[in-house]
């Protein structure tokens, strides 16, 4: 990773995390529920979805603070999905980002409720917070919520997780695998980019480019995840490696082979950058962020 | 129950159920996820929250169809909360409305995801559907979503459920019991009434009265629930009776005694009706609906 990208990521992560916890409701919330929500929300992570929102605003010369409520909502939804995915009835994971998973610390019932509350708060936050941003019209707020619900729901992220669970232990085709990843991982990245586009008043062609870029880096992200599950380092990753093979899970390396997977990864990232250059966004942080998807070790 | 109220409830239930399932997304949703969502959403029930939305619109001479998306969203949130509450890690119930609970039919993972997807769809539906209702301003849509998220989230329904779980097996004070019920049951009824008020362009004093009415019938509803768990009929209820006592759960009858509980019930319903009469809503269906809370046998 270049030193510039490294310091960019660090600075933006700090900026995001400075706001994140304060945007949870605390007053009137049972203490254990609040703690469980904050535990997972503040457990680190790449903050990639918020980062993408801010990068779109930056690329279009708009104030970053305008992106904060929507960026935080995305991170809350991403966090809830991890809490629920880790549950014993789902992936049954004990470790996430190097720490015990939510239900290991707070118990299953609290983990389920913390996920539900984070998901609910995400929508409430968007609806509430933009009343302090007169430059963001109510029509835009409604569009943000519609986009986020579509990408996070039954046709999006939740649908992808469902297909993933149903596919476990089965021989999947590449098409089926791509369906899973397009929705499970890709849709929320697209929601970050499209929502950022709404907030930054992007043109129609820029919106289309942001969505295409999102779809490509979403797929690249997942291929890299699969590769790291084979070649990565458990300490850096904060979770076990080799677990996909143990579970006989279909992955890009298992379906395409490692070389072909790596080649596809490079192609996707190169295409994603090309799409942005075509609409005048070639000088933005979105370009190194696409590289980051491949270069990351966790 | 009077024959008039009976036919009113029947007619409105049909009207609500005619729209409900069609407002789920189906295209692009994994089949088993859709089925699991529809199974619980269409499993019957009193449809009390949608009914309250429609009754407010009716009381203020506004078209009922304006209430449908919001009413359906409330019922989706109510349904998701039942699916998650029934899970083995929570109340571990096998039966709901006389049918096997969601996870008994579809398994735990699907039940968790179906709940998540219903919750997400609720917000997406409100954000999407009102673009076809030019008489409902985007500002109003944002207010509906903010209100619903506040009442359904960590400070509302989810918080109430958390407190309920933490209180199990403990000796609760009446104050703690009321905290639980105000949030677990009451908040979503209040959201129905306040949201209905937004959609019907209620005056400020009417809004305040609707919220007070909601708080009182919410409490009455829960006291009646507790009474039915002692004196009710398992077949009519579609669930086991005596389960609160078995679990040593704090209830109104256990804390106040049966006579005092019944007296409090009558007082609450009488006060709730008085509050509405004071703001000119004394001739609306909201009056018999308050009686229904006491008279219901399920």
């Amino acid at each position: 990773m270049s030193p510039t990208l490294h310091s960019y990521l660090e600075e933006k992560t700090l900026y995001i995390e400075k706001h994140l916890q304060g945007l949870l409701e605390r007053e009137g919330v049972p203490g254990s529920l609040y703690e469980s929500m904050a535990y997972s929300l503040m457990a680190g992570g790449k903050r990639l979805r918020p980062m993408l929102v801010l990068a779109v605003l930056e690329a279009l010369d708009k104030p970053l603070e305008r992106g904060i409520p929507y960026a935080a909502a995305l991170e809350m939804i991403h966090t809830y999905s991890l809490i629920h995915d880790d549950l014993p009835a789902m992936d049954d994971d004990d470790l996430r980002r190097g720490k015990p998973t939510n239900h290991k610390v707070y118990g299953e019932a609290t983990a389920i409720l913390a996920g539900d509350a984070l998901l609910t708060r995400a929508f409430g936050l968007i609806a509430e917070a933009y009343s302090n941003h007169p430059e963001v019209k109510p029509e835009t707020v409604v569009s943000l919520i519609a986009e986020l619900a579509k990408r996070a729901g039954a046709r999006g992220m939740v649908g992808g997780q469902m297909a993933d669970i149903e596919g476990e232990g089965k021989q999947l085709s590449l098409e089926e695998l791509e369906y899973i990843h397009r929705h499970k991982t890709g849709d929320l990245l697209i929601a970050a980019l499209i929502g950022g586009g709404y907030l930054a008043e992007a043109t129609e062609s820029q919106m289309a480019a942001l969505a295409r870029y999102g779809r490509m880096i979403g797929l690249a992200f997942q291929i890299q995840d699969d590769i790291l599950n084979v070649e990565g380092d458990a300490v850096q990753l904060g979770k076990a490696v080799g677990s996909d093979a143990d579970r006989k899970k279909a992955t890009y390396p298992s379906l395409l082979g490692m070389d072909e997977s790596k080649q596809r990864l490079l192609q996707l990232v190169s295409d994603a950058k090309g799409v942005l250059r075509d609409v005048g966004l070639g000088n933005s942080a979105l370009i190194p962020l696409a590289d980051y998807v491949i270069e990351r070790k966790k």
Side-chain angles (χ1 to χ4, degrees), chain A:
Chain A
M1 200 188 302
S2 77
T4 331
L5 179 58
H6 187 269
S7 71
Y8 179 90
L9 293 174
E10 206 161 71
E11 182 206 323
K12 288 295 180 293
T13 303
L14 275 173
Y15 179 67
I16 293 158
E17 297 195 340
K18 196 182 76 184
H19 288 89
L20 206 49
Q21 188 163 357
L23 293 172
L24 285 180
E25 304 162 300
R26 181 162 206 166
E27 216 188 292
V29 177
S32 48
L33 180 62
Y34 175 81
E35 275 172 40
S36 163
M37 293 167 77
Y39 172 80
S40 290
L41 190 63
M42 302 314 292
K46 294 172 287 292
R47 312 299 189 191
L48 180 58
R49 292 148 197 85
M51 201 85 72
L52 291 171
V53 177
L54 300 184
V56 174
L57 284 161
E58 197 177 54
L60 291 162
D61 284 323
K62 297 295 190 299
L64 295 195
E65 60 180 14
R66 193 188 292 181
I68 283 294
Y70 186 67
L74 278 162
E75 195 66 9
M76 288 176 191
I77 290 192
H78 175 56
T79 302
Y80 115 74
S81 77
L82 301 180
I83 297 175
H84 282 189
D85 285 4
D86 286 338
L87 287 167
M90 308 270 263
D91 291 350
D92 195 14
D93 277 315
D94 295 348
L95 223 54
R96 164 76 66 184
R97 294 168 181 164
K99 294 184 179 177
T101 46
N102 196 293
H103 66 272
K104 282 279 154 189
V105 181
Y106 297 96
E108 268 185 74
T110 304
I112 293 168
L113 292 174
D116 293 345
L118 282 165
L119 173 55
T120 310
R121 177 59 183 159
F123 292 107
L125 175 60
I126 301 173
E128 275 174 24
Y130 284 109
S131 61
N132 302 321
H133 290 255
E135 77 283 10
V136 180
K137 293 191 206 116
E139 288 86 333
T140 306
V141 176
V142 172
S143 298
L144 290 175
I145 292 169
E147 174 67 21
L148 187 54
K150 185 176 86 174
R151 303 282 173 185
R155 282 193 293 164
M157 184 184 73
V158 174
Q161 173 67 3
M162 184 77 229
D164 193 17
I165 289 174
E166 292 190 316
E168 260 188 45
K170 283 186 199 153
Q171 186 62 43
L172 297 185
S173 66
L174 192 63
E175 211 187 331
E176 291 168 319
L177 186 66
E178 294 207 343
Y179 173 92
I180 292 172
H181 294 318
R182 201 166 72 229
H183 296 296
K184 189 175 164 169
T185 316
D187 274 345
L188 215 53
L189 300 179
I190 296 177
L193 292 152
I194 292 187
Y198 283 136
L199 288 165
E201 297 150 66
T203 64
E204 231 170 274
S205 64
Q206 286 170 334
M207 289 293 277
L210 288 168
R212 286 188 63 202
Y213 165 90
R215 175 171 285 213
M216 291 189 245
I217 66 161
L219 207 48
F221 185 91
Q222 194 55 51
I223 298 177
Q224 177 68 357
D225 237 33
D226 286 353
I227 294 173
L228 287 171
N229 198 279
V230 179
E231 297 185 345
D233 179 271
V235 175
Q236 271 191 295
L237 281 168
K239 60 184 176 188
V241 295
S243 55
D244 291 341
D246 293 348
R247 288 178 191 166
K248 297 198 174 36
K249 213 168 167 170
T251 65
Y252 286 90
S254 76
L255 282 175
L256 293 179
M258 191 53 93
D259 286 352
E260 168 79 17
S261 298
K262 287 181 178 173
Q263 213 171 329
R264 189 169 286 219
L265 190 64
L266 291 171
Q267 188 64 51
L268 279 166
V269 169
S270 156
D271 289 350
K273 294 195 281 190
V275 161
L276 290 190
R277 286 196 188 97
D278 290 347
V279 294
L281 298 172
N283 288 320
S284 74
L286 294 166
I287 300 293
L289 278 171
D291 291 317
Y292 167 60
V293 166
I294 323 188
E295 292 170 9
R296 69 195 173 91
K297 299 280 174 251
K298 60 177 185 175

